């Protein structure tokens, strides 16, 4: 069996309950979209971890402290993301050459990074740094490391082309995302600022006062400093306000750094 991403996937235990979805394609999932990778059990040498999500009230497993964790954090604070799950499913795809077929002698195993519900629509995301797909340096035939780096990138691109084909057969949306996509959507310092305040409580009367003011403001938005003045019971009004963003009660520009002038917007579902 060939697997071009063995460092990313656990071997099949033989006890898992795989579902046949189409000729040559089967899927493994667990109840409540629990992670299908054994990331926190010490089975790997790679750097792994788990991020606590206040949006989902659960740990979100991830394998990278860089791109994958950044993508998960972005989904945590993005107002369009209703729900998301990390490492929720694994595919086994039988391939003959570049064609998916139930008689294929090559088996490709793939674990999706996140399953995300965006305004009611499901999307699956592959979170990868662009350098994994296209090395930064040109191929140097005289350097074994350069040859290996380009060979791995070529195998990964092939694998992801087959994965894309499989999801198209299944009629499901699958999207690769790189750091360029993250940069276009958010400033990592802003995302981290919001997440650092996750879980802070807000007094019900303060929240009601804040919502009332926002509901009567143009565009349902006010500068952060004005919102802070409406929060009386909290020792840290700024944090109590930012903590409402993962809850999708409030939102803010994720591209700009947060300042007292940043506009806080109340989502229409809470007006």
């Amino acid at each position: 069996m060939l697997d071009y991403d063995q460092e990313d996937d656990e071997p099949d235990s033989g006890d898992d309950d795989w579902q046949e979805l189409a000729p040559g394609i089967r899927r493994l999932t667990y109840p409540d979209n629990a992670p299908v990778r054994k990331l926190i059990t010490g089975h790997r040498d790679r750097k792994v971890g788990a991020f606590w999500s206040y949006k989902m009230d659960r740990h979100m497993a991830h394998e990278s402290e860089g791109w994958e964790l950044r993508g998960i954090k972005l989904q945590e604070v993005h107002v369009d993301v209703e729900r998301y799950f990390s490492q929720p499913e694994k595919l086994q795809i039988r391939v003959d050459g570049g064609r998916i077929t139930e008689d294929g002698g090559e088996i490709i195993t793939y674990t999706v990074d996140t399953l995300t519900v965006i305004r009611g629509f499901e999307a699956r995301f592959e979170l990868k740094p662009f350098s994994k797909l296209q090395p930064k340096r040109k191929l140097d035939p005289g350097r074994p490391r350069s040859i290996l780096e380009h060979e791995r990138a070529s195998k990964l691109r092939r694998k992801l082309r087959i994965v894309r084909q499989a999801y198209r057969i299944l009629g499901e949306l699958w999207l690769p995302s790189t750091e360029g996509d993250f940069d276009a959507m958010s400033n990592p310092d802003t995302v981290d600022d919001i997440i650092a305040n996750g879980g802070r409580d807000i007094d019900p009367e303060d929240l009601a006062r804040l919502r009332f003011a926002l509901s009567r403001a143009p565009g349902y938005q006010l500068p952060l400093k004005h919102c802070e003045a409406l929060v009386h019971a909290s020792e840290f009004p700024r944090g109590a306000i930012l903590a409402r963003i993962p809850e999708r009660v409030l939102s803010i520009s994720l591209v700009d750094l947060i300042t007292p002038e940043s506009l806080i917007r109340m989502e229409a579902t809470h007006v």
Side-chain angles (χ1 to χ4, degrees):
M1 181 177 78
L2 296 178
D3 183 351
Y4 287 138
D5 200 12
Q6 288 181 359
E7 64 177 3
D8 283 342
D9 289 297
E10 295 286 342
D12 185 359
S13 69
D15 298 325
D16 294 324
D17 185 15
W18 291 82
Q19 179 185 10
E20 298 287 342
L21 301 178
I25 305 173
R26 63 177 190 160
R27 174 155 57 201
L28 173 67
T29 60
Y30 294 145
D32 196 29
N33 286 314
V36 295
R37 284 180 181 167
K38 298 177 182 178
L39 293 182
I40 316 174
T41 56
H43 289 276
R44 297 185 169 277
D45 296 327
R46 301 179 66 187
K47 191 172 184 179
V48 299
F51 162 77
W52 179 260
S53 167
Y54 287 98
K55 178 176 283 186
M56 296 300 300
D57 193 29
R58 64 195 288 180
H59 280 102
M60 293 296 170
H62 60 85
E63 283 206 353
S64 165
E65 292 290 349
W67 67 89
E68 194 169 321
L69 178 57
R70 184 180 174 190
I72 289 174
K73 286 181 175 181
L74 175 57
Q75 295 186 38
E76 173 74 6
V77 303
H78 201 292
V79 69
D80 289 337
V81 174
E82 297 176 11
R83 301 184 304 281
Y84 69 102
F85 306 91
S86 63
Q87 322 287 348
E89 66 182 36
K90 183 184 294 186
L91 294 186
Q92 280 193 352
I93 309 166
R94 287 192 170 272
V95 179
D96 182 7
R99 186 171 61 92
I100 297 175
T101 171
E102 60 184 338
D103 299 323
E106 176 186 0
I107 299 177
I108 290 179
T109 304
Y110 171 76
T111 301
V112 72
D113 285 327
T114 66
L115 169 61
T116 308
V117 180
I118 306 171
R119 300 288 185 186
F121 293 94
E122 277 193 359
R124 289 159 173 82
F125 287 95
E126 168 67 23
L127 310 175
K128 274 284 186 289
F130 188 74
S131 60
K132 292 284 186 180
L133 302 170
Q134 184 62 57
K136 296 178 181 179
R137 298 181 179 85
K138 292 183 178 180
L139 174 64
D140 183 350
R143 296 180 62 244
R145 183 173 181 177
S146 176
I147 295 173
L148 179 60
E149 186 178 49
H150 281 263
E151 285 180 348
R152 285 178 173 174
S154 177
K155 290 178 179 180
L156 178 59
R157 291 195 301 270
R158 175 184 181 268
K159 175 176 181 174
L160 294 184
R161 285 196 298 270
I162 293 171
V163 169
R164 177 177 60 190
Q165 180 184 349
Y167 277 114
R168 284 179 175 174
I169 290 172
L170 299 178
E172 296 171 345
L173 180 61
W174 174 86
L175 298 169
S177 295
T178 67
E179 61 270 34
D181 300 305
F182 303 155
D183 290 340
M185 298 174 65
S186 66
N187 182 314
D189 291 335
T190 297
V191 172
D192 285 342
D193 193 355
I194 296 169
I195 286 177
N197 290 283
R200 290 185 182 273
D201 292 329
I202 188 170
D203 184 84
E205 292 186 4
D206 283 344
L207 180 58
R209 187 182 305 109
L210 179 59
R211 290 175 59 180
F212 180 82
L214 287 168
S215 69
R216 280 153 179 76
Y220 306 129
Q221 55 189 9
L222 288 170
L224 176 58
K225 63 182 180 181
H226 292 176
C227 295
E228 289 182 43
L230 298 169
V231 179
H232 301 159
S234 173
E235 294 181 356
F236 188 40
R238 181 181 184 275
I241 292 167
L242 296 182
R244 310 284 74 81
I245 293 175
E247 299 172 0
R248 303 180 69 239
V249 175
L250 305 176
S251 63
I252 196 172
S253 169
L254 300 178
V255 176
D256 304 310
L257 291 175
I258 301 175
T259 71
E261 302 297 332
S262 296
L263 291 176
I264 298 293
R265 185 180 188 277
M266 182 165 63
E267 285 305 293
T269 54
H270 294 275
V271 174

